[in-house]
Amino acid sequence: MTPFEPPAGRVAIFPGSFDPLTNGHVDIILRSAHLFERIVVSVLLNSEKKPLFSSEERIAIIREVFREYPNVEVDAFDGLLVAHARHHRASAIVRGLRAVSDFEYEFQMALMNRHLEPTLETVFMMPAEQYTYLSSRLIKEVFSLGGDVRGLVPSVVETWMKKKQDAGVKR
Ligand code: PNS
């Protein structure tokens, strides 16, 4: 076998809508930050017609949550994810897998991205069990109906959601 020198400075992209960031996302980002030299949390621009948070707000929130993690960066992207990954010289895309129901969609995306960029690997990570039922969509629904989202999103997110509620923003 030829000796293999693993390349240093592995970069991974963690893409998503993050409207809003949940503790499930935080869990995956922290796990990735231990595996990769740099992890770029990449916020998809204009992912929904009526998002709760603008992309600028989502970026500001994620930066605030990870301000003490020097290897966690936040960026925005639109267009093809593989082009964004190339721009950052990333070798991997990280995605969280919560349940079997996530699998089909994730499998299709991973194989399409591999078709577009064969050198880019998709790495799936499982969040801690207590976050397997969490999704940004459910968080917004529960919060808008007056439910308690404490412990499900970072406190920074909770504060920003309350600000939106006080401003009368409905979603
Ligand atoms: O938080 P989400 O909605 O699960 O994230 C989905 C995301 C951002 C990973 C996905 O929509 C995406 O990669 N969009 C970029 C468009 C793209 O590259 N499409 C072709 C490859 S599947």
Side-chain angles (χ1 to χ4, degrees):
M1 252 197 326
T2 352
F4 177 70
E5 190 72 39
R10 288 251 182 234
V11 179
I13 301 285
F14 182 54
S17 310
F18 306 110
D19 186 41
L21 181 80
T22 69
N23 278 346
H25 294 130
V26 172
D27 180 284
I28 299 288
I29 295 168
L30 292 178
R31 287 172 199 279
S32 316
H34 283 100
L35 277 186
F36 295 94
E37 190 165 312
R38 214 151 57 80
I39 170 102
V40 185
V41 182
S42 300
V43 177
L44 177 67
L45 294 172
N46 312 317
S47 56
E48 275 180 71
K49 284 209 179 80
K50 267 190 81 187
L52 175 62
F53 292 112
S54 69
S55 31
E56 291 79 14
E57 288 171 327
R58 284 179 264 156
I59 289 168
I61 289 171
I62 304 169
R63 287 213 171 111
E64 196 171 334
V65 171
F66 290 97
R67 66 185 182 282
E68 283 169 11
Y69 292 83
N71 69 335
V72 177
E73 286 173 28
V74 188
D75 196 6
F77 80 105
D78 56 11
L80 279 181
L81 176 61
V82 293
H84 174 71
R86 247 182 250 132
H87 168 77
H88 280 281
R89 296 178 181 279
S91 48
I93 295 169
V94 170
R95 291 288 290 170
L97 262 192
R98 292 164 299 188
V100 180
S101 50
D102 283 341
F103 183 77
E104 200 169 328
Y105 171 60
E106 294 297 335
F107 186 70
Q108 284 180 352
M109 276 207 301
L111 291 185
M112 178 55 83
N113 285 327
R114 178 186 281 168
H115 169 80
L116 296 170
E117 183 54 74
T119 61
L120 188 65
E121 290 295 340
T122 299
V123 175
F124 292 109
M125 298 179 95
M126 272 74 72
E129 295 92 277
Q130 69 262 36
Y131 302 132
T132 48
Y133 62 93
L134 266 189
S135 72
S136 300
R137 186 185 59 80
L138 276 185
I139 292 290
K140 284 185 282 195
E141 186 171 318
V142 168
F143 188 80
S144 71
L145 298 172
D148 191 356
V149 295
R150 233 175 321 157
L152 306 179
V153 293
S155 52
V156 173
V157 173
E158 224 187 306
T159 308
W160 279 70
M161 287 180 91
K162 283 191 181 131
K163 267 195 250 167
K164 287 272 169 194
Q165 200 173 48
D166 293 345
V169 177
K170 289 243 161 48
R171 249 272 9 221

